[in-house]
Amino acid sequence: MTAHPPSSPLGALLHAIGIQPRTPDELARALGSTPDALSGMLRTLRSGGYVQDATPQQDGCACGPCALKSMCRNADSAEPALHLLRLTPRGETYLRRLS
Amino acid sequence: MTAPAVTRPPTLIPDEAACADTLARLKAAREPRVVVVGNPNVGKTTLINALAGTNLKVGNWSGVTVEKREAHLNHAGRRVHLLDLPGAYSLSPHTPEELITRTALLDEAPDAVLNVLDAGNLERNLYLTLQLMDYRLPVAVALNLVDEAREKGVQVDSRALSRLLGVPVVETVASRARGTDTVLDSALGHATLGIGVRYPEAIERAVEALSTRMVGVDTLPPHAHRYLALTLLEGDPSVRGRLNATGHAALVQAANAQLLELDTQGLDPLIEIAEARYALAGDIARAAAPQAQARRTVTERLDALALHPWLGIPLFLALVLLVFRLTFTVAAPFVDLIGGPLQDTLTGWASAALSWFPLARDLVTGAIIPGVGTVLSFLPTLLVLYLAMSFLEDSGYMARAAFLMDRAMRSVGLDGRAFIPLILGFGCNVPAVYATRTLERRSDRLLVSMILPFMSCSARLPVYVVFAAALFPRQASLLVWAMYTLGMLVALAFAFVLRRTSYPAEGSGVLLELPPYRFPTAQVLWKHAWRRTASFARRARTTVLATVAGVWLLLAIPAVSGASFATVAPQDSLFGRVSQAMSPIFAPLGFGTWQATGALVPGFIAKEVVVGTLGQIYLGEQAARPAALGLVDGVVQAGRATWDAVVASVSAIPTILALPSLNADATGDLNTPLATALARAFTPASGLSYLVFVLLYTPCIATVGALAQEHGRRFAWTTVAYQLATAWVAAFLVYLIARAVL
């Protein structure tokens, strides 16, 4: 992880994701951008395999093996309430290279 | 408005000869083909409707159901073929629409590109513009939605934008046909290749090498050489597949060689290329719209408060307290109803129906009705709680609460994703244990698994409610809130200690996408709340029913000589004697009676069983010989009690916002037989100690099983032991303090 944020837009975004949790609005303000522009960058990073979804999906690892699934109030939620992104090894490698 | 100069990164200066040739072709074309390209929702369709009018024909793109719009029209005495391409955020295709747009730019031989931009969202839109310029086709820009951008506080200097991009820019409001009359003039008469992006030197050399190999190849249109070379370096599989299939495998191999060369230089072309485009797009957007500080939306304004570093958590805690007050106030009369009159009615009916079968009558009236019935009496509490929590979830607030919690977790060194299992833990600890799989590092998984049983699952709520109502009727909701808060604080404290001793942090962040605030519909709220309440009821008829039947059996087996099955005094039963043997352990905590100790043991199976067993022990004896009740008398009795409960619930609503210290907490009216029995059996200090023990000791056997499955039996039993020790020590301290204070 770089000590100082990189000057390139995607590098700065990856760095910001890596250091502390934030919302897109917070991140956009911190990077001098807009949430919409940020979502475009995240789309690029996600498709390139630099970040990935970190939210457990329905019937994913949170529920799949659970014996109480049939009785569980959380099991049949159609959509996860939260959407999380985190760095992948490829994203971390790129950040290290920027340092 | 003067636009500052763009200094970074350098732009590509178009080759003048190539530029002249391309522009000459556009001017000479008999029916020039103009493709309209833009991001989704930028008003592209509205613009093309305004331009084409009745000439517009709508069909489908070959092989797909994506709509194809085109028109042949006369413009300034010249035939023009206008082709609307599907909305695309980029030309690196992620959707069928983007693939069609990219393919059309390669195959449809356009003479010019009309790029429609959303003026209020310039930075994101410019990424596609800069990709289009890699095609080396004449481009003109329609800067649309300028009116909406101004309303958002975004002022774009279109002349500066034109200068910075090197292409003509026309401001339009397509919905009002403003500026649309000059758009085609611009595309046909003034479109140019634009500035283009200059990529890092090593990539430019690779692009040059690959472009050179494409010169003279008929099937590779000259305007697309640069774009194709860049796409090959980005590793785009669809372009590679297409080139391989059309006899250009050597070109793909040459690209592979270039990639290897770039890799040896430590370059990742995919992200380097995107970096250069985003950097230039950002610079141009900031220069062309220097006051692009958009006005804050309602969601942003609410988030400024909800996510405030200092006010966010107090606001969250206040909202949770309000939820508990609402829950107690509205539900208390119905808890009274189920735990009192309805249970009496059922007991009376069962006594009458089973009068010839004394053993079955004892089981039903002395175990099932007081045990399961006591647990079920909390259904109204849970229903109201789940309605309130569903409102917070569906309105979008709970995602903010999770974010706040995440901040707190990060402050003690937890992984940024740890809050998912911890939040799940408020519902049920079992799926929460499995959710630790989302954490990459084993140390994080172990740490979170160790602390998440301290998060108060909903099965513990009935225990809090009945004790709070019995012993602290005027501060009941405050006490339940304090239990939840204490669970979180203990979890944070352990995380802090364990992180510094056993499971060191390795650091990892997340980005949390928060949904906008919205007002949930009553139908959705009911659906969610009912599903969760029904899940609790299912547990009552399975786990709780089986456990109370087991406890009844143990209470019926004599442990002293001379007594017979089912007639033995409870304290002389097997259950009573085993509980008595264990009770000295809890004597220092203030609840060393066999009844209190005995209820904790089945609590290992499921926490709501604690209440069921207490009901069985304290109420079973008195319910074993109830008066038989006729059907009609029972219906009348239940109907009258239900009406009283409705009236009491509605009339208590105005007291929700009153402070607990003003003695307005409606839980003071909770008068179930169990609450009355507990008020006699416990002091406030011992009751508080009992609640803290219930909060912190092992949640249930299913959680232990999940821990064993995920991390091994040794870890699971170590966790059980340390939670029991923590619960004992915390309850002891609370008892000492409470005895001194209360």
Side-chain angles (χ1 to χ4, degrees):
Chain A
M1 203 71 51
T2 51
H4 301 289
S7 56
S8 62
L10 298 178
L13 177 52
L14 287 172
H15 180 266
I17 293 173
I19 54 171
Q20 68 175 85
R22 303 186 203 221
T23 67
D25 287 343
E26 283 183 330
L27 206 50
R29 273 194 289 278
L31 299 177
S33 184
T34 64
D36 281 326
L38 208 68
S39 72
M41 292 186 207
L42 287 172
R43 193 170 183 260
T44 303
L45 290 173
R46 207 189 308 222
S47 66
Y50 298 93
V51 296
Q52 70 182 46
D53 225 312
T55 313
Q57 301 296 312
Q58 184 193 7
D59 287 336
C61 57
C63 298
C66 182
L68 301 178
K69 192 173 149 188
S70 63
M71 296 195 289
C72 179
R73 61 192 66 87
N74 299 313
D76 57 348
S77 299
E79 270 286 306
L82 304 169
H83 294 275
L84 284 172
L85 291 175
R86 64 185 165 90
L87 300 194
T88 61
R90 188 176 186 184
E92 286 175 355
T93 305
Y94 179 65
L95 261 187
R96 270 198 300 276
R97 225 184 51 231
L98 287 181
S99 69
Chain B
M1 194 180 299
T2 309
V6 176
T7 55
R8 172 182 72 84
T11 54
L12 186 74
I13 308 299
D15 173 69
E16 281 185 18
C19 191
D21 286 351
T22 310
L23 297 179
R25 270 200 304 278
L26 171 61
K27 286 193 167 54
R30 243 188 53 196
E31 186 180 358
R33 180 177 289 196
V34 178
V35 290
V36 186
V37 186
N39 282 194
N41 306 317
V42 294
K44 203 159 53 66
T45 304
T46 314
L47 179 66
I48 205 158
N49 283 339
L51 293 175
T54 54
N55 294 306
L56 193 67
K57 287 180 186 159
V58 181
N60 274 355
W61 289 91
S62 171
V64 288
T65 54
V66 179
E67 209 170 70
K68 181 180 186 179
R69 294 163 170 270
E70 59 185 327
H72 295 270
L73 52 104
N74 290 314
H75 178 77
R78 197 177 175 195
R79 289 288 289 174
V80 181
H81 180 194
L82 210 56
L83 181 60
D84 181 23
L85 299 187
Y89 287 114
S90 83
L91 299 176
S92 313
H94 304 301
T95 63
E97 288 80 4
E98 288 175 346
L99 187 62
I100 290 169
T101 296
R102 205 264 297 277
T103 308
L105 285 166
L106 287 171
D107 296 344
E108 298 281 338
D111 296 296
V113 177
L114 177 60
N115 180 204
V116 186
L117 302 184
D118 173 359
N121 198 357
L122 203 54
E123 188 176 350
R124 178 165 187 168
N125 282 232
L126 284 174
Y127 186 82
L128 176 67
T129 308
L130 295 176
Q131 267 191 312
L132 286 170
M133 288 179 177
D134 287 331
Y135 266 100
R136 316 314 292 149
L137 284 167
V139 175
V141 165
L143 185 65
N144 198 31
L145 304 174
V146 285
D147 53 341
E148 289 182 19
R150 281 191 197 114
E151 280 170 23
K152 286 197 287 182
V154 179
Q155 285 278 358
V156 181
D157 182 344
S158 56
R159 276 183 295 183
L161 183 64
S162 172
R163 193 169 59 247
L164 293 162
L165 286 172
V167 298
V169 176
V170 178
E171 287 189 18
T172 58
V173 181
S175 58
R176 294 183 207 161
R178 201 183 296 163
T180 51
D181 50 341
T182 53
V183 162
L184 276 181
D185 290 335
S186 173
L188 295 169
H190 309 288
T192 61
L193 300 191
I195 52 166
V197 182
R198 179 122 191 121
Y199 300 101
E201 211 43 55
I203 290 176
E204 284 293 347
R205 279 197 300 275
V207 168
E208 184 62 32
L210 291 172
S211 301
T212 306
R213 294 179 73 104
M214 297 181 207
V215 174
V217 180
D218 290 342
T219 50
L220 299 176
H223 72 265
H225 288 178
R226 180 174 172 79
Y227 173 77
L228 283 173
L230 284 164
T231 311
L232 281 169
L233 294 176
E234 286 175 313
D236 187 312
S238 60
V239 163
R240 287 171 161 257
R242 177 185 162 123
L243 289 173
N244 275 325
T246 52
H248 301 296
L251 191 59
V252 176
Q253 283 168 10
N256 290 341
Q258 293 288 347
L259 282 172
L260 273 177
E261 173 62 25
L262 291 169
D263 191 49
T264 57
Q265 297 174 44
L267 286 172
D268 180 350
L270 177 60
I271 198 162
E272 300 284 356
I273 290 168
E275 286 274 32
R277 286 181 190 139
Y278 279 118
L280 187 56
D283 283 348
I284 292 174
R286 280 185 287 276
Q291 294 161 348
Q293 187 59 49
R295 268 187 229 119
R296 292 199 301 176
T297 62
V298 174
T299 288
E300 284 174 326
R301 277 195 287 252
L302 287 174
D303 275 350
L305 181 63
L307 300 177
H308 191 277
W310 298 109
L311 297 177
I313 287 184
L315 178 70
F316 167 64
L317 293 175
L319 274 174
V320 173
L321 180 59
L322 191 66
V323 164
F324 282 130
R325 289 187 62 77
L326 172 80
T327 302
F328 276 68
T329 305
V330 176
F334 294 100
V335 176
D336 278 351
L337 171 71
I338 299 174
L342 289 189
Q343 213 163 296
D344 289 347
T345 304
L346 272 180
T347 307
W349 282 341
S351 293
L354 300 169
S355 58
W356 295 99
F357 308 98
L359 201 62
R361 185 196 63 194
D362 287 353
L363 173 65
V364 173
T365 61
I368 294 174
I369 293 178
V372 178
T374 302
V375 175
L376 286 178
S377 70
F378 293 97
L379 282 181
T381 307
L382 288 166
L383 181 64
V384 179
L385 176 70
Y386 289 144
L387 275 171
M389 296 307 278
S390 295
F391 181 85
L392 292 182
E393 277 177 28
D394 295 332
S395 66
Y397 179 75
M398 280 311 276
R400 272 81 184 170
F403 186 71
L404 289 171
M405 194 167 155
D406 184 42
R407 272 190 188 153
M409 293 289 159
R410 298 274 303 182
S411 68
V412 296
L414 276 175
D415 183 286
R417 283 155 281 156
F419 73 91
I420 291 181
L422 292 171
I423 287 278
L424 282 178
F426 282 119
C428 176
N429 287 179
V430 177
V433 170
Y434 292 116
T436 59
R437 289 184 185 184
T438 55
L439 305 174
E440 260 173 32
R441 285 176 282 273
R442 186 163 184 271
S443 63
D444 289 331
R445 290 198 292 274
L446 294 177
L447 174 55
V448 175
S449 296
M450 285 198 91
I451 62 166
L452 73 81
F454 294 133
M455 309 310 279
S456 199
C457 67
S458 57
R460 283 170 245 196
L461 185 65
V463 190
Y464 305 154
V465 171
V466 73
F467 271 83
L471 302 169
F472 304 92
R474 299 296 167 194
Q475 291 84 28
S477 54
L478 196 60
L479 182 66
V480 175
W481 172 83
M483 285 296 121
Y484 276 79
T485 308
L486 178 66
M488 285 191 277
L489 290 176
V490 171
L492 282 173
F494 268 94
F496 183 80
V497 173
L498 290 169
R499 183 53 95 198
R500 275 148 192 80
T501 53
S502 309
Y503 305 110
E506 294 171 57
S508 171
V510 292
L511 178 68
L512 177 59
E513 292 176 35
L514 296 178
Y517 288 104
R518 56 182 177 266
F519 204 88
T521 63
Q523 193 183 7
V524 167
L525 290 185
W526 177 255
K527 189 180 147 200
H528 289 172
W530 179 250
R531 195 185 73 222
R532 293 171 178 184
T533 311
S535 155
F536 183 85
R538 277 198 298 275
R539 275 168 71 90
R541 73 163 192 249
T542 52
T543 316
V544 178
L545 178 61
T547 311
V548 297
V551 170
W552 176 82
L553 190 65
L554 293 173
L555 278 165
I557 298 172
V560 292
S561 57
S564 59
F565 184 79
T567 60
V568 65
Q571 64 273 20
D572 293 329
S573 66
L574 185 60
F575 185 85
R577 284 303 167 99
V578 171
S579 301
Q580 281 166 39
M582 291 168 62
S583 58
I585 300 171
F586 300 102
L589 313 186
F591 53 87
T593 63
W594 73 267
Q595 293 96 329
T597 305
L600 292 175
V601 178
F604 268 103
I605 296 169
K607 278 284 169 72
E608 55 266 63
V609 173
V610 171
V611 166
T613 309
L614 285 170
Q616 210 172 338
I617 294 171
Y618 286 114
L619 308 180
E621 184 71 8
Q622 67 190 56
R625 285 175 293 279
L629 196 64
L631 183 67
V632 176
D633 290 342
V635 170
V636 170
Q637 182 178 307
R640 197 174 293 147
T642 305
W643 173 249
D644 290 346
V646 172
V647 171
S649 177
V650 172
S651 60
I653 288 174
T655 66
I656 290 170
L657 291 174
L659 293 171
S661 58
L662 297 179
N663 285 348
D665 202 329
T667 48
D669 298 333
L670 190 64
N671 288 313
T672 63
L674 180 58
T676 309
L678 292 177
R680 281 199 299 269
F682 286 81
T683 65
S686 65
L688 210 51
S689 164
Y690 196 77
L691 282 187
V692 170
F693 192 86
V694 169
L695 163 69
L696 299 176
Y697 89 107
T698 316
C700 63
I701 197 73
T703 303
V704 178
L707 287 169
Q709 191 181 347
E710 289 301 289
H711 309 303
R713 284 183 192 175
R714 193 174 159 192
F715 177 86
W717 291 115
T718 305
T719 305
V720 170
Y722 112 95
Q723 283 165 355
L724 281 170
T726 305
W728 196 96
V729 171
F732 179 66
L733 291 174
V734 164
Y735 179 61
L736 286 184
I737 296 166
R739 209 171 50 168
V741 174
L742 295 174

